[in-house]
Amino acid sequence: MDILVNKKLKKWHRPELYTSTTLRYPAPKGAPTFYNNNVVKSKIVRTFITLDEVWDYKTNEFFWDYKIGEHKIKLEDRYYNYDWYRVRPTGVSFIDYITENANNSEEVLLSIGRYERELFDDVITFDSYVNAITKIIEYYKELCPNIVYIEPCNEPQSSPFGGLTIDEVVKLYEVIGQIVKKLNKKHNYKKPLKFGGYAPACGYELIDSWELFLEKLALLPKSKRVIDYYSFHVYSTNLLEVELYVLRHNQKIKELGLPSKPIFVDELGFWYDSPEISANLKNACGTVAHLINTARLNNVYAFPWCSWHNPEIQMGFTQLIKKDGEYIITPNGFSIKLLTMLNDYEMPIACNRHFGAVATTNKERTEFSVLFANTYDVKRKASFSFIGLKDGEYNVEEYVIDENTNNCFSTNYNGKLTKTNEFTLTKEDGNYALEKPCNPYSLTLWKITKKRDIKNGTQVKSDMRNLNNTVIMTD
């Protein structure tokens, strides 16, 4: 693959800044702070609140600081069981969960769930539901002013989340959207609430349902709909899937006259929901490849699932685990760390579809980073030529994540993302080149730094004032 060093640069829209959490296995107190300090500080963190834990519709009591996942009533006494069968409490209170995540992210997305079946089966009234949701958003918005994005439901067509029809989803969307609108008017928040959704499950295989939702949304009077963003989920080994979904979405909203707004792929994964240790590395490689592709799409932001989850059921997705009282970063977590090490401007790569590869530089084009994800179960040769790179001496630092390297499940793990090699960039056929046989399911990052220029066969120190580096950038 040819990296075109002197071509127009494009601002790299950093895909690692969007984080997902879970209430099914709440992260212990301290985990969001550890994640912030050792992986990345999130621009937006996706959080959840479960209505049947914060509000008892029978007594109209609110439990603002409930212990997440601890049963107040027996499962058999519930009207609908939702996803309780997968919940494992960890002793975390909701206020600790929401405030620590808010303190370690610029903004918070709050996804609201449960009681959907009770609402649509007439067990609770719409008035009581609206009053409760209003109080809940109001209370936690005051507690955490950087709660900005409100999502009305999560994967609602799935039976663990209510098994709603599209008509029910649209009604829920309309109702909670109006609550958000009224709260903004009432409080004139410094950071106004924004509303969107509806976070359907799976991905492109459910695109027909997504388009039906958009069609029904378009039928609502403008005064009855609030659209600040759209959200959906993708779990797929097909690295085209997000792009295909976004393409169909954009075609549909144009046809329907709906507004163009940011798209949140607010759950993204490559591999499957698995307790197998090997699934973590596979998901790390594929999710990075997904994120690289998503970063190139206009106004699309992806939230990899998930910063912390129960390793007994989702080892494949979790970015952190805990062992002997210490937080451990998995290959999935280190893969996000690699993304933070890229530079701010993307250089074009001349090949048909460079899935799993990105090349970046700084404004002066004196530092370069190349990231390559092997998403296959065979060795693949990474081969890059730097076309137009000025003669000079370039130092290369290499970081690898694979089965045996920078992997907490191997014997070589030391707790930190460790450099695996260092060498000088070589010249082949007149161009500087990088080549490496990459192990199955592996990630490799090369950090390249210019040490000195070479002119007329003589080495001279680089002088930033003498570099002719006119840069044309696009957003």
Side-chain angles (χ1 to χ4, degrees):
M1 290 185 275
D2 291 341
I3 299 170
L4 308 179
V5 175
N6 288 326
K7 294 294 183 180
K8 182 186 294 185
L9 298 180
K10 184 178 181 181
K11 182 73 174 175
W12 176 240
H13 296 296
R14 311 204 71 97
E16 71 273 14
L17 300 179
Y18 306 89
T19 307
S20 288
T21 68
T22 183
L23 291 190
R24 284 180 169 178
Y25 189 70
K29 194 172 179 179
T33 303
F34 179 88
Y35 190 87
N36 179 1
N37 293 338
N38 294 278
V39 181
V40 68
K41 180 173 182 178
S42 305
K43 187 176 179 67
I44 304 174
V45 61
R46 185 172 184 245
T47 64
F48 297 84
I49 189 164
T50 39
L51 297 183
D52 58 352
E53 295 188 88
V54 71
W55 172 49
D56 185 336
Y57 67 85
K58 293 177 181 177
T59 64
N60 203 33
E61 290 179 273
F62 292 85
F63 308 95
W64 301 114
D65 198 21
Y66 62 91
K67 293 285 187 180
I68 300 169
E70 295 185 5
H71 291 270
K72 294 187 181 74
I73 61 174
K74 293 179 181 178
L75 201 60
E76 58 267 26
D77 292 334
R78 295 183 179 277
Y79 176 79
Y80 194 86
N81 288 338
Y82 297 101
D83 58 333
W84 274 99
Y85 71 101
R86 295 198 82 179
V87 174
R88 299 292 181 272
T90 58
V92 178
S93 75
F94 186 79
I95 284 182
D96 282 344
Y97 161 79
I98 195 69
T99 55
E100 191 176 6
N101 276 295
N103 289 340
N104 285 284
S105 182
E106 291 181 28
E107 295 178 333
V108 178
L109 185 155
L110 184 63
S111 185
I112 298 169
R114 301 202 187 135
Y115 280 160
E116 293 93 346
R117 275 279 47 95
E118 286 84 347
L119 177 66
F120 290 108
D121 292 350
D122 297 323
V123 175
I124 58 179
T125 66
F126 267 88
D127 284 347
S128 64
Y129 182 85
V130 166
N131 289 335
I133 294 286
T134 301
K135 287 181 180 179
I136 288 165
I137 295 174
E138 206 166 24
Y139 182 90
Y140 292 111
K141 174 68 171 173
E142 183 177 353
L143 182 68
C144 302
N146 62 337
I147 291 176
V148 172
Y149 303 94
I150 301 296
E151 198 171 53
C153 50
N154 173 71
E155 302 188 351
Q157 291 161 282
S158 304
S159 59
F161 302 108
L164 305 190
T165 66
I166 288 294
D167 284 335
E168 289 170 334
V169 169
V170 173
K171 183 62 178 175
L172 195 68
Y173 189 101
E174 178 189 352
V175 166
I176 300 181
Q178 291 305 301
I179 293 171
V180 167
K181 191 175 178 181
K182 288 175 183 176
L183 285 174
N184 278 333
K185 186 175 181 180
K186 176 181 177 182
H187 292 285
N188 193 26
Y189 295 118
K190 186 176 180 180
K191 274 182 170 281
L193 293 167
K194 297 181 180 180
F195 182 75
Y198 71 96
C202 295
Y204 194 68
E205 63 193 74
L206 293 182
I207 190 68
D208 290 344
S209 293
W210 177 255
E211 290 184 332
L212 180 59
F213 164 74
L214 294 177
E215 288 170 5
K216 290 180 178 293
L217 199 61
L219 293 175
L220 293 176
K222 285 187 179 181
S223 62
K224 293 288 186 181
R225 68 183 188 224
V226 181
I227 306 174
D228 294 311
Y229 67 93
Y230 301 95
S231 67
F232 52 80
H233 299 167
V234 170
Y235 292 94
S236 179
T237 55
N238 179 359
L239 296 174
L240 269 173
E241 190 148 322
V242 173
E243 189 170 351
L244 288 171
Y245 205 124
V246 170
L247 177 65
R248 286 279 293 270
H249 166 84
N250 286 337
Q251 289 173 337
K252 195 66 179 178
I253 62 170
K254 185 176 181 181
E255 171 193 321
L256 296 169
L258 289 172
S260 177
K261 296 289 184 177
I263 296 170
F264 292 168
V265 186
D266 57 14
E267 288 186 29
L268 177 68
F270 174 77
W271 207 243
Y272 51 89
D273 187 355
S274 170
E276 295 175 11
I277 286 173
S278 61
N280 193 280
L281 178 62
K282 293 172 183 176
N283 191 62
C285 299
T287 301
V288 162
H290 269 309
L291 289 170
I292 288 171
N293 296 334
T294 302
R296 295 177 176 133
L297 300 175
N298 184 43
N299 220 14
V300 181
Y301 308 91
F303 298 61
W305 186 261
C306 173
S307 61
W308 169 277
H309 214 300
N310 187 350
E312 293 181 7
I313 59 173
Q314 291 205 358
M315 180 64 86
F317 291 131
T318 190
Q319 295 173 26
L320 301 178
I321 57 174
K322 204 169 189 181
K323 186 176 181 181
D324 300 326
E326 299 291 328
Y327 290 108
I328 306 294
I329 303 175
T330 68
N332 222 353
F334 274 155
S335 72
I336 301 300
K337 186 68 177 176
L338 288 186
L339 288 166
T340 72
M341 297 165 69
L342 293 171
N343 300 99
D344 290 333
Y345 300 96
E346 183 180 8
M347 297 177 290
I349 299 178
C351 69
N352 186 27
R353 297 297 280 176
H354 40 276
F355 291 127
V358 63
T360 63
T361 185
N362 61 349
K363 196 171 184 179
E364 297 77 23
R365 303 189 216 215
T366 56
E367 296 176 7
F368 307 89
S369 302
V370 180
L371 178 58
F372 177 75
N374 182 6
T375 59
Y376 295 90
D377 61 357
V378 295
K379 238 178 202 185
R380 291 176 67 202
K381 185 178 181 181
S383 181
F384 297 94
S385 292
F386 292 83
I387 307 301
L389 184 60
K390 184 181 289 189
D391 283 350
E393 186 175 328
Y394 295 87
N395 186 66
V396 184
E397 294 181 344
E398 180 183 272
Y399 296 82
V400 172
I401 302 171
D402 63 15
E403 187 178 9
N404 299 307
T405 311
N406 284 312
N407 188 328
C408 64
F409 306 112
S410 74
T411 57
N412 302 319
Y413 182 75
N414 67 4
K416 296 181 179 180
L417 183 63
T418 303
K419 180 171 57 180
T420 51
N421 196 8
E422 189 166 3
F423 54 92
T424 300
L425 195 63
T426 58
K427 207 169 191 181
E428 293 181 12
D429 299 325
N431 290 308
Y432 290 96
L434 274 174
E435 285 195 348
K436 180 182 176 62
C438 296
N439 288 331
Y441 295 113
S442 65
L443 291 156
T444 306
L445 174 72
W446 294 274
K447 294 286 293 179
I448 303 159
T449 307
K450 188 174 189 179
K451 294 170 69 176
R452 53 179 62 87
D453 289 336
I454 299 176
K455 294 182 180 179
N456 300 321
T458 304
Q459 291 185 351
V460 297
K461 290 182 180 179
S462 292
D463 186 337
M464 296 300 298
R465 294 168 298 178
N466 295 330
L467 291 176
N468 181 18
N469 286 314
T470 303
V471 181
I472 302 174
M473 288 165 285
T474 60
D475 290 328

